[in-house]
């Protein structure tokens, strides 16, 4: 693999590492931002739920204080005593006339009772922030007869009403479920306080809470936040919206699947599944897909001692708006990564060119030098490692040129020698032969190089005892020996032998220089001694 490819691969891996780091940072930032958004949404739901509970609790305290201030227990006890002698038929006749829209004397008396006037003044003078404390208040005696009322009730006798029957079985104040008051065209909750004297029920005071204040809490909380899609809803235990703006995708219940009038509570919270498990609400913030659209939903239960209706405050915001900071953060991080990747790519390309191009030039120069073009030189710039390598290559070329000139000179000498020359390794293997030796013996150089010296000697040459003296003395002269030609001729040769040693004086080989003495008129028999 080329170094440019390796550098490219390295920068690619570095870029992938940067990409992985960027994606990890994006995921971590998204998680942190979503958590912060969820916490903020949960805080809004908790705050609104607390205000709703305080509003309901305040009404309870007001009713108890009102009953004590106006001594409603005594008034109810007196009325109960007065009505004990009245038979049921008479009461039924009055109730029938009352319900039919007539104006019986009992109605006039209840509306004009001094206590009724006090109750009306109380309702108007104690209205906080423009919202009445109660929509209606009336007092009954022990038989359910309306004694005093702030407005005309639907019946004169209340004894057959479910709230009345429940009140007779309870010793303390209790809160009824939310209902829709058809006459008032508003949502309302009954607050019922049984009045007992010495443990005996003498009457009941019923206050119909005006819940406009709850709607105001929801609206003011929504307006306080700068979120266009923020929606707060007060829902019952089944997820039906009691207060709040229904979503366009909300579904309406039927009479069979809900105990409240469908006309009044016609919308089911789409995100209810996000905040429930096994039908039970779960407090906390949850990201949720509502019909294909992501939303952040937070729920907080309305905790009030008397309010056991399972009400919850749900705050939700559209995912596009809620996670806008997340998307913006993702875009910025990815943009930063792209910019960094471009810078890294540019630097990588520049660095690759600065490193790979000189190396390619050096590689081409090395090939030219290997082909014998010893005049090749590199243009060296700078003082980095690549420049040092170029300088070293130039120096090597100079030295090689000098060595090549010396070798050519030596080869020229060897080629022009008339005497034969043979160079042996320490084991007797022929390393070099000159042209004179090849001509005399009838061999080509490549046929002798690598062969043992016995190939051209009649007797074992290196077994001669005088070689010991050669090793010790370094030189032997006038050594006669019979060489064998390729055609089997015996050729007497007079040799001079010299030992070659390296810098450490270790034996490297033997140089043999010989003269053909076959032209002597009377050649002497071969003698291993010196001439």
């Amino acid at each position: 693999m080329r170094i440019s490819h390796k550098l490219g691969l390295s920068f690619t891996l570095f870029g992938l590492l940067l990409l992985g780091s960027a994606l990890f940072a994006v995921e971590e930032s998204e998680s942190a931002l979503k958590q912060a958004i969820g916490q903020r949404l949960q805080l809004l739901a908790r705050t609104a739920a607390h205000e709703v509970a305080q509003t309901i609790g305040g009404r309870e305290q007001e009713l108890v204080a009102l009953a004590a201030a106006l001594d409603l227990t005594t008034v109810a006890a007196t009325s109960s005593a007065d009505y004990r002698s009245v038979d049921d038929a008479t009461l039924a006749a009055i109730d029938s006339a009352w319900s039919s829209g007539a104006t019986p004397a009992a109605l006039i008396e209840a509306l004009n009772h001094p206590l009724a006037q006090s109750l009306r003044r109380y309702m108007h003078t104690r209205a906080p922030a423009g919202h009445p404390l109660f929509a209606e208040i009336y007092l009954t005696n022990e038989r359910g007869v309306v004694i005093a009322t702030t407005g005309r009730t639907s019946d004169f006798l209340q004894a057959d009403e479910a709230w009345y029957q429940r009140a007779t079985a309870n010793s303390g104040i209790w809160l009824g479920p939310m209902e829709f008051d058809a006459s008032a065209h508003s949502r309302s909750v009954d607050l019922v306080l049984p009045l007992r004297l010495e443990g005996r029920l003498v009457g009941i005071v019923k206050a119909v809470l005006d819940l406009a204040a709850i709607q105001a809490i929801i609206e003011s909380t929504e307006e306080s936040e700068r979120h266009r899609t923020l929606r707060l809803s007060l829902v019952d235990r089944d997820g039906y919206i009691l207060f709040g703006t229904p979503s366009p995708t909300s579904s309406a219940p039927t009479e069979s699947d809900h105990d409240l009038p469908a006309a009044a509570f016609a919308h089911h919270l789409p995100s209810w599944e996000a905040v429930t498990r096994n039908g039970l609400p779960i407090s906390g913030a949850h990201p949720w897909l509502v019909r294909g659209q992501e939303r952040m939903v937070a729920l907080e239960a309305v905790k009030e001692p008397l309010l056991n209706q399972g009400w919850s405050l749900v705050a939700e915001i559209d995912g596009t708006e809620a996670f806008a900071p997340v998307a913006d953060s993702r875009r910025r991080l990815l943009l930063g990564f792209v910019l960094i990747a471009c810078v890294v790519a540019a630097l990588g390309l520049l660095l690759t060119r600065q490193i790979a191009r000189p190396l390619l030039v050096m590689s081409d120069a090395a090939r030219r030098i290997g082909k014998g073009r010893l005049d090749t030189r590199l243009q060296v710039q700078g003082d980095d490692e690549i420049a040092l390598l170029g300088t070293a290559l130039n120096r090597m070329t100079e030295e090689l040129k000098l060595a090549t000139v010396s070798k050519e000179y030596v080869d020229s000498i060897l080629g022009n020698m008339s005497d034969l020359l043979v160079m042996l390794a320490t084991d007797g293997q022929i390393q070099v032969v000159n042209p004179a030796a090849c001509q005399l013996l009838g061999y080509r150089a490549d046929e002798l190089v690598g062969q043992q010296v016995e190939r051209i000697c009649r007797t074992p040459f290196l077994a001669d005892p005088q070689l010991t003296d050669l090793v010790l003395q370094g030189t032997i002269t006038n050594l006669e020996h019979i060489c064998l030609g390729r055609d089997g001729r015996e050729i007497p040769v007079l040799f001079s032998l010299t030992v070659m040693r390296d810098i450490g004086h270790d034996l490297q080989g033997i140089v043999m220089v010989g003269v053909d003495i076959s032209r002597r008129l009377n050649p002497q028999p071969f003698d291993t001694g010196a001439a």
Side-chain angles (χ1 to χ4, degrees):
M1 182 182 292
R2 291 186 176 182
I3 190 169
S4 57
H5 295 166
K6 292 181 179 179
L7 289 173
L9 180 60
S10 299
F11 283 109
T12 301
L13 292 177
F14 181 69
L16 292 176
L17 179 62
L18 283 179
L19 176 61
S21 301
L23 293 177
F24 177 76
V26 167
E27 290 297 327
E28 289 296 315
S29 63
E30 286 184 1
S31 177
L33 284 172
K34 285 184 178 182
Q35 185 177 7
I37 294 170
Q39 290 175 349
R40 177 58 183 168
L41 204 61
Q42 184 65 34
L43 179 61
L44 290 177
R46 184 177 297 114
T47 301
H50 179 68
E51 291 183 11
V52 170
Q54 280 191 322
T55 299
I56 299 297
R59 299 298 191 269
E60 297 168 3
Q61 296 174 5
E62 290 287 346
L63 185 60
V64 173
L66 177 66
L70 299 180
D71 196 13
L72 299 184
T73 303
T74 301
V75 176
T78 302
S79 175
S80 296
D82 293 341
Y83 272 86
R84 286 188 187 125
S85 58
V86 180
D87 58 70
D88 293 339
T90 301
L91 294 179
I94 298 174
D95 182 64
S96 176
W98 186 306
S99 301
S100 65
T103 309
L107 174 59
I108 297 174
E109 182 181 351
L111 291 172
N112 295 327
H113 195 286
L115 180 60
Q117 298 177 9
S118 299
L119 292 176
R120 280 191 288 269
R121 286 194 301 270
Y122 174 80
M123 288 173 53
H124 291 290
T125 58
R126 299 296 300 276
H131 300 292
L133 286 174
F134 304 105
E136 183 181 33
I137 305 176
Y138 56 90
L139 176 67
T140 70
N141 60 20
E142 63 181 6
R143 298 187 66 180
V145 172
V146 176
I147 304 171
T149 178
T150 56
R152 179 166 184 157
T153 61
S154 57
D155 298 295
F156 173 64
L157 287 176
Q158 303 290 326
D160 58 345
E161 298 290 339
W163 65 265
Y164 183 90
Q165 296 173 7
R166 179 176 175 181
T168 58
N170 286 272
S171 59
I173 189 171
W174 62 273
L175 199 67
M178 182 175 291
E179 296 177 347
F180 185 75
D181 190 337
S183 59
H185 298 285
S186 64
R187 297 173 175 86
S188 63
V189 173
D190 293 340
L191 188 60
V192 181
L193 176 63
L195 303 175
R196 297 183 182 276
L197 184 63
E198 297 179 353
R200 184 175 62 86
L201 181 69
V202 295
I204 299 173
V205 58
K206 175 185 176 182
V208 179
L209 274 65
D210 189 323
L211 299 182
I214 295 179
Q215 183 69 32
I217 291 172
I218 293 175
E219 292 175 353
S220 63
T221 303
E222 291 177 344
E223 292 172 358
S224 65
E225 295 294 316
R226 298 179 180 179
H227 294 294
R228 179 177 53 85
T229 61
L230 176 65
R231 182 182 297 112
L232 272 71
S233 304
L234 182 66
V235 300
D236 65 6
R237 59 167 49 92
D238 296 319
Y240 287 97
I241 299 174
L242 304 178
F243 283 102
T245 304
S247 167
T249 58
S250 301
S251 57
T254 62
E255 291 287 353
S256 60
D257 64 6
H258 197 261
D259 57 356
L260 297 177
F265 308 101
H267 296 281
H268 189 270
L269 193 68
S271 56
W272 184 243
E273 294 180 3
V275 290
T276 56
R277 181 182 296 129
N278 297 327
L280 300 176
I282 307 171
S283 295
H286 316 270
W288 189 253
L289 284 175
V290 180
R291 303 192 181 184
Q293 296 181 349
E294 188 175 15
R295 302 185 67 82
M296 179 66 79
V297 184
L299 175 140
E300 187 69 26
V302 179
K303 300 175 182 178
E304 207 285 326
L306 295 182
L307 189 61
N308 57 356
Q309 308 298 323
W311 291 0
S312 298
L313 205 296
V314 177
E316 54 183 326
I317 187 172
D318 184 74
T320 303
E321 182 180 8
F323 304 137
V326 176
D328 184 62
S329 174
R330 183 191 299 114
R331 285 193 297 269
R332 291 186 179 185
L333 284 172
L334 292 179
L335 178 60
F337 164 74
V338 171
L339 293 177
I340 293 175
C342 291
V343 172
V344 170
L347 291 176
L349 180 61
L350 179 62
L351 184 59
T352 300
R353 295 183 63 181
Q354 288 181 343
I355 294 177
R357 178 174 291 180
L359 292 178
L360 291 174
V361 172
M362 291 181 187
S363 176
D364 182 64
R367 282 194 297 269
R368 293 199 303 270
I369 293 170
K371 293 179 180 179
R373 298 175 60 181
L374 300 181
D375 57 343
T376 302
R377 295 293 183 273
L378 294 172
Q379 297 294 329
V380 179
Q381 297 178 349
D383 57 356
D384 55 9
E385 289 79 0
I386 295 179
L388 293 176
L389 181 59
T391 301
L393 186 60
N394 285 337
R395 186 181 303 113
M396 181 197 71
T397 306
E398 289 289 344
E399 295 174 353
L400 184 60
K401 185 175 182 180
L402 293 174
T404 302
V405 172
S406 299
K407 182 178 182 299
E408 290 176 351
Y409 180 70
V410 172
D411 289 343
S412 177
I413 293 174
L414 294 176
N416 291 286
M417 284 179 61
S418 59
D419 297 334
L420 63 86
L421 181 141
V422 180
M423 295 181 63
L424 304 178
T426 56
D427 60 354
Q429 188 182 77
I430 299 173
Q431 301 292 315
V432 177
V433 291
N434 69 342
C438 292
Q439 183 179 3
L440 177 64
L441 300 174
Y443 288 98
R444 296 193 311 272
D446 60 340
E447 292 177 325
L448 295 177
V449 174
Q451 302 295 322
Q452 294 295 314
V453 70
E454 285 76 10
R455 176 83 176 265
I456 60 175
C457 294
R458 189 180 65 180
T459 59
F461 182 77
L462 293 181
D464 197 311
Q466 291 192 36
L467 286 180
T468 303
D469 296 335
L470 173 62
V471 174
L472 295 175
Q473 297 173 12
T475 302
I476 294 179
T477 59
N478 300 324
L479 176 64
E480 288 187 15
H481 201 80
I482 300 299
C483 292
L484 298 175
R486 185 171 185 174
D487 57 2
R489 291 182 298 115
E490 293 184 353
I491 305 170
V493 178
L494 184 65
F495 281 105
S496 293
L497 285 75
T498 302
V499 173
M500 292 189 303
R501 297 183 183 274
D502 60 13
I503 298 177
H505 300 285
D506 293 328
L507 183 63
Q508 294 293 304
I510 301 172
V511 179
M512 302 168 55
V513 179
V515 178
D516 179 10
I517 59 175
S518 62
R519 293 183 179 181
R520 290 183 179 181
L521 296 177
N522 298 309
Q524 298 295 322
F526 177 71
D527 185 3
T528 57

